[in-house]
Every structure is written in C-alpha cells, then in structure tokens.
Amino acid sequence: MKPTIESILQNQLNKIQVEVTMSAYTENLPGWVENKTEPDFYRFCYAVKGEAWLDIQNQRHIVQPGTLYFLPAGTMQTFGTGGNEPFCRYWCHFRLELGDIQFINSLRLPPFVYVKEEQLLQQLFIKMNAHQHSTSITRELRLKAALLEMLAFYLDESDLQRESLYDSGFGVKWNEVLAHIEANLHENIQIEELAKYAFLHPNYFITSFKSIVGCSPIQYVTNRRIELAKKLLRETELPVTTVAKQVGMQNHYLSRLFKRYTGITPVQFRRIGKYSLDYPLDCGMTTSEGENS
C-alpha cells in the first residue's frame, strides 16, 4: 500500500473500537411500521426474506433479500413492511467511540450493499446472536470479532468515498507529509520538517498527525521502516546491513527492533520466505552470530 490517503484509512480502521449492544433475528408481518426514530447507536440490517421500505435522510429505499443496510447513529429512520409475506431479517445495534464516529461518518458509506457471500454473512449474525446469550468471559471479545468482520465485509463491498477526505486540501496536505516520509526513510526525519508540509507548528503537528493518521509520527515512521525492511528482505538478496542502511537504522538496532515487532530476526524472516509452508522454520531457535551480517 502506497503512503497516501490509503495509509490514513488503514491506520484509522486498525484502531477502531466497537461494542455490540443487541443482535437478533426478527420476522415482521405485513403492515408493520416503526415510526420515526433517531437512535444514538449504529445498525446493521440484513434482509433474508420478504420486502420492506426504509426512509432515511429524506430518501426512501426498498429493502429486498440479499441486501445489508448500514444505518448511522443520529439519522432519522422510519421502517415498514411491504408485500404480502413476512419480512425476515437479521440485525444488530452497536456503538463506536467518538473519534471513530467522526471517522466512519467521513467515509460517506452507501446506505446498503448487495451481499454476494450470503452464507458467510448469515453465519456472522448467527454467531453474534449465540454469543449474546453466552456467559463466557470471552463473550464481548467474540461479539466484537463478529461485528468487526461484518464491518470489514461492508467496507470491502462499498465504494469508499475517499474523495471526502480530500475536502479543504486535507488529502493534498497529508499526502505530502506521508510522501516525504516515504522518500526519506533512509534519513533522520525531523518533526520540524514534516510540520512544514502540513503548515502546522511542530507542537500542534504531533497531535494533529495522531488524530488524522491514527498513531504518532514516530510510530508511523517506524512502522514504514519495518515494512520497507520486510519488502527488501523478501524481494532482494541485500545483506541485512545494507537493508538497515536503506531504512535509516544501524544494523544492530534494526535487528532488535525487527524482532520486537515481528518476534523473529531479519535473517529468520528472510529464511521463512524461502521455505515452503510444509517445512516451517523454528522461529524460536537461537540466533547465530553471523545472522546479522
């Protein structure tokens, strides 16, 4: 992934926090209506049988089987059944943290997507419904895992409106910052020079960067250096010392940092890439003296 607006999207998604508050399977008879509501939670609604209508943000949608609806918090919503048979659907309510709400709203997600992997999505709802009644200490983790997979499914099926993040020069400014980082990973990158690209005071730049990208500038630079090191180790035969130089680190520091991030040394990482999965490398083996050369 190139260091553009995509990096910002990925970092924000990596830290998103969700809480499932309710999930269920419901069948509504013809003539059912849920009058105007403006919930402070988000909804997923997956139609599996029958027909319904939905009024949201002054627009009417006909809800048919095979569609997954994403209903944002704070929007006026009215539902009703259509046709002559029951309307059957899976649904869940969930909450996001304030910062995540702002991020999700900025994506301008479509109100619904057509579901291609119907069995996969239905199984996610079934899991969620089952976990909801569990007394296990892992209940919340499993609920969260199912919802995050559902959210990932929705994002993959959506045509993300990335242009919304370019409003008021946002994309141009931050793309230049990220591009400068990428072009200078072999150098000692200073906060002052990055702040100039964002037209911000250095003190404010750090806070703003973390808010937009999802991590501090130092963390981001380190992550990009590790990713570049992985790429060079996979795709070239360069000695680890040369790889270290190209990512702006001393050899011993790259090896220590690489192991801290991945659990293995750069040489072990390279060896794993050359072996078939049928012959896994023992990543717990003792590092030999010549590994870092």
Side-chain angles (χ1 to χ4, degrees):
M1 180 175 290
K2 294 182 179 180
T4 62
I5 212 72
E6 301 286 338
S7 298
I8 296 175
L9 288 171
Q10 187 178 65
N11 276 282
Q12 291 284 10
L13 288 172
N14 286 347
K15 69 181 185 69
I16 200 167
Q17 295 295 320
V18 295
E19 177 193 3
V20 179
T21 58
M22 184 65 188
S23 69
Y25 172 81
T26 304
E27 296 185 2
N28 296 107
L29 297 175
W32 166 80
V33 174
E34 181 178 318
N35 290 317
K36 290 183 178 180
T37 60
E38 193 174 352
D40 61 356
F41 49 80
Y42 286 78
R43 290 171 167 171
F44 270 128
C45 176
Y46 175 47
V48 294
K49 184 180 179 181
E51 184 179 294
W53 51 266
L54 163 67
D55 288 343
I56 183 171
Q57 296 177 328
N58 300 317
Q59 187 172 2
R60 173 157 291 198
H61 300 273
I62 302 301
V63 183
Q64 296 180 328
T67 53
L68 175 64
Y69 273 77
F70 175 78
L71 308 179
T75 56
M76 193 63 69
Q77 304 163 16
T78 302
F79 307 83
T81 52
N84 299 313
E85 61 178 346
F87 175 63
C88 307
R89 72 192 191 280
Y90 289 96
W91 55 270
C92 72
H93 298 168
F94 62 97
R95 296 183 183 278
L96 299 171
E97 292 189 351
L98 180 59
D100 294 328
I101 290 175
Q102 295 170 343
F103 168 66
I104 289 295
N105 289 346
S106 74
L107 296 179
R108 298 182 188 172
L109 294 172
F112 69 92
V113 296
Y114 294 105
V115 177
K116 300 173 184 175
E117 302 176 72
E118 295 184 8
Q119 187 173 1
L120 180 150
L121 188 62
Q122 190 165 321
Q123 284 302 314
L124 285 176
F125 274 107
I126 291 172
K127 284 182 181 180
M128 201 178 296
N129 293 347
H131 297 326
Q132 183 174 243
H133 302 291
S134 170
T135 58
S136 170
I137 60 172
T138 61
R139 171 182 178 273
E140 296 300 328
L141 286 176
R142 294 180 183 276
L143 280 170
K144 185 183 295 187
L147 180 59
L148 285 174
E149 187 169 354
M150 193 176 298
L151 183 58
F153 172 88
Y154 197 90
L155 293 173
D156 284 339
E157 294 299 317
S158 301
D159 181 17
L160 291 184
Q161 302 300 306
R162 295 177 177 86
E163 64 269 17
S164 65
L165 295 179
Y166 284 85
D167 292 347
S168 302
F170 173 92
V172 174
K173 178 171 69 176
W174 290 102
N175 273 337
E176 287 185 1
V177 172
L178 300 183
H180 180 78
I181 290 174
E182 197 71 9
N184 292 277
L185 290 175
H186 60 292
E187 301 285 355
N188 182 21
I189 299 173
Q190 299 293 326
I191 294 296
E192 290 74 16
E193 60 182 308
L194 295 178
K196 291 179 181 178
Y197 283 94
F199 307 105
L200 295 172
H201 187 278
N203 293 339
Y204 181 68
F205 171 80
I206 296 175
T207 302
S208 184
F209 187 98
K210 189 171 183 178
S211 173
I212 296 298
V213 180
C215 62
S216 71
I218 292 176
Q219 289 174 317
Y220 181 83
V221 170
T222 300
N223 290 340
R224 292 306 303 163
R225 283 174 168 158
I226 293 295
E227 288 305 311
L228 177 57
K230 287 180 180 179
K231 177 180 174 65
L232 293 173
L233 290 167
R234 281 194 305 262
E235 300 179 4
T236 75
E237 297 296 329
L238 294 172
V240 175
T241 51
T242 304
V243 171
K245 185 178 295 185
Q246 293 198 15
V247 298
M249 297 183 188
Q250 295 291 326
N251 183 31
H252 67 279
Y253 183 65
L254 171 63
S255 296
R256 185 168 69 248
L257 192 66
F258 196 94
K259 188 167 186 178
R260 192 174 80 193
Y261 269 65
T262 66
I264 58 177
T265 67
V267 169
Q268 289 171 340
F269 180 86
R270 173 171 276 167
R271 286 176 182 170
I272 287 174
K274 293 181 179 180
Y275 280 76
S276 165
L277 293 177
D278 293 331
Y279 301 93
L281 184 67
D282 180 8
C283 295
M285 65 184 182
T286 304
T287 304
S288 64
E289 293 182 359
E291 271 195 331
N292 292 332
S293 61

